[in-house]
Amino acid sequence: AIQSRSAVASFEQQDVWLTLKARTAIYRAAILTGLHSGGEVLVPAYHCGSEVDALMKSGATVRLYQVDATAHLDLVDLERRITPATKAIYVIHYFGIAPPMPALRALCDHYDLWLIEDRALNSLSAGAPTRDDSPRGDLVIYSFTKPLPLPDGGALMVHHPDLATRRWSLRQANSPVRMTTLLKRAGAARVRRWSHQPVYRPVPEDASWMPPGYHFDAAMEDAAISNTALRMLWRMDAVAVADTCRRNFLKLHETLRPHLKRPRRLSALAPGVSPLLYPLLSDDRTAMLKRLHERGIEALPFWAGYHPDISLSEFPDARRLKDSLIGLPIHQDLDENDIRYIADETVRALEVT
């Protein structure tokens, strides 16, 4: 019964490749669409950096388009940036905020562009991959390691018939997985109320700094999901995980909403979406993270750092998000008491001047 509710089962009857990482899927998407020969792809200014690195390492030319302060893309700006060199548009689903897929699909069809849809942050949401009727990208990226305690695992789903026959050979990743790796993933972002030791680690303020783990490794180019991860994935109830994360998000938002100073569109949750985290904006992220960590809440400086080869100087809203957004944990191992604790302590941290 659980296997029928696993993330893998939801991809049955789909044209999909299970990859070592989501970055492997991104790299292969660039190969499939011909971006690797220098083709231009428009990417949102608010991004992680790892997806940009995978695209650039493939040989693609990356240009950015505007995203506003609530992580909604600017369609007018996006269309203005399309040139004869543009071959694809890359869109990202941010923590519950769905891109305007019908408008994006129409835009790509009008200009004859590939649409690459990054669902890594919402990989277990309803409609991933086929539970709603909204338009899809020609290629869709998924990550299983973000919402689930797995050592590796991503996916590339192909929706365009012209791409379905352009298959490549994936090399199975059979390297042994250390138990410490599994334990680290299983305990990530966990609330540790019994520990009063601060765990805060400051983020470098260098605008050209990017976490080492964000850089694309050539060994990922043609690597498939490991046998270990695949066996684990089949046994995980992805539906239950998605439902729990969504419920935790909504409970947390119910308490935090009256205390939020920024526009609430950032925390609006679309129907059926199961986000990875709860986004919290802070004018002083460093101080706020320190207060949260001292309370045992392992909040994250979400997408901190900048790709060294990409400038965000003309994108102030994206820079603001990169510099101020905090990710609060809402994962499936947190129960109602944990979420109540996170909510109450976050409110107290927000009240500190």
Side-chain angles (χ1 to χ4, degrees):
I2 290 180
Q3 287 191 3
S4 66
R5 292 159 61 89
S6 75
V8 177
S10 67
F11 289 98
E12 288 183 342
Q13 309 302 319
Q14 304 292 324
D15 196 354
V16 64
W17 292 272
L18 299 180
T19 58
L20 183 70
K21 300 282 188 182
R23 275 168 277 173
T24 305
I26 295 169
Y27 183 92
R28 302 313 306 190
I31 301 298
L32 281 175
T33 54
L35 292 172
H36 64 295
S37 59
E40 180 182 280
V41 54
L42 296 177
V43 176
Y46 182 52
H47 55 261
C48 169
S50 62
E51 70 284 88
V52 166
D53 204 60
L55 289 167
M56 295 180 73
K57 292 288 175 57
S58 77
T61 299
V62 174
R63 292 181 61 237
L64 306 180
Y65 61 85
Q66 294 281 2
V67 174
D68 70 18
T70 59
H72 289 75
L73 64 85
D74 184 334
L75 280 170
V76 174
D77 179 76
L78 173 57
E79 184 170 14
R80 181 177 64 83
R81 294 175 186 272
I82 295 173
T83 71
T86 306
K87 304 301 180 185
I89 291 176
Y90 192 99
V91 296
I92 299 174
H93 289 248
Y94 304 110
F95 30 76
I97 302 174
M101 292 305 297
L104 287 164
R105 180 72 272 167
L107 189 66
C108 287
D109 290 345
H110 178 74
Y111 288 98
D112 193 22
L113 304 174
W114 298 113
L115 180 57
I116 303 175
E117 184 182 359
D118 187 334
R119 280 179 167 254
L121 294 181
N122 292 328
S123 291
L124 301 184
S125 297
T130 58
R131 291 167 58 189
D132 65 31
D133 297 325
S134 63
R136 286 286 181 267
D138 299 307
L139 294 161
V140 187
I141 313 296
Y142 296 93
S143 172
F144 302 128
T145 58
K146 286 179 170 61
L148 300 171
L150 294 170
D152 59 80
L156 175 63
M157 181 171 292
V158 179
H159 287 291
H160 198 289
D162 289 350
L163 300 177
T165 58
R166 303 182 191 178
R167 294 180 179 272
W168 73 87
S169 175
L170 284 177
R171 171 176 50 82
Q172 192 69 35
N174 290 316
S175 57
V177 178
R178 295 179 182 271
M179 182 56 67
T180 52
T181 300
L182 297 179
L183 291 174
K184 181 178 180 181
R185 287 204 176 275
R190 191 180 300 276
V191 173
R192 299 189 301 197
R193 287 176 293 182
W194 56 87
S195 171
H196 298 289
Q197 297 299 318
V199 293
Y200 174 68
R201 297 178 180 87
V203 176
E205 297 182 358
D206 183 357
S208 65
W209 174 85
M210 186 171 76
Y214 285 8
H215 292 276
F216 186 78
D217 187 340
M220 300 179 188
E221 289 181 8
D222 59 351
I225 189 172
S226 69
N227 289 328
T228 300
L230 188 57
R231 285 193 295 268
M232 294 172 67
L233 192 56
W234 268 110
R235 290 167 171 78
M236 292 180 179
D237 189 339
V239 175
V241 170
D243 290 345
T244 300
C245 292
R246 179 177 175 84
R247 182 170 60 250
N248 288 344
F249 183 104
L250 293 172
K251 287 181 178 178
L252 191 57
H253 184 58
E254 183 180 358
T255 300
L256 295 183
R257 180 171 51 190
H259 304 274
L260 300 178
K261 297 180 181 178
R262 298 295 180 88
R264 292 179 185 171
R265 285 179 67 200
L266 184 60
S267 299
L269 192 61
V273 169
S274 176
L276 181 68
L277 50 81
Y278 185 91
L280 179 70
L281 288 169
S282 174
D283 292 330
D284 189 345
R285 182 167 66 182
T286 298
M288 186 63 181
L289 280 170
K290 190 171 188 297
R291 291 195 292 270
L292 291 171
H293 288 181
E294 287 172 349
R295 289 164 166 81
I297 301 172
E298 293 194 15
L300 303 172
F302 190 70
W303 282 358
Y306 293 80
H307 194 286
D309 297 324
I310 294 290
S311 173
L312 268 65
S313 58
E314 64 171 303
F315 304 100
D317 286 337
R319 287 189 63 88
R320 192 172 300 113
L321 288 169
K322 292 282 281 183
D323 294 339
S324 63
L325 201 140
I326 293 171
L328 295 177
I330 57 169
H331 58 80
Q332 63 272 21
D333 290 331
L334 301 174
D335 60 24
E336 187 173 348
N337 290 331
D338 293 325
I339 293 298
R340 185 181 301 113
Y341 175 84
I342 293 173
D344 292 343
E345 291 302 316
T346 300
V347 168
R348 292 187 179 95
L350 286 169
E351 291 172 347
V352 175
T353 57

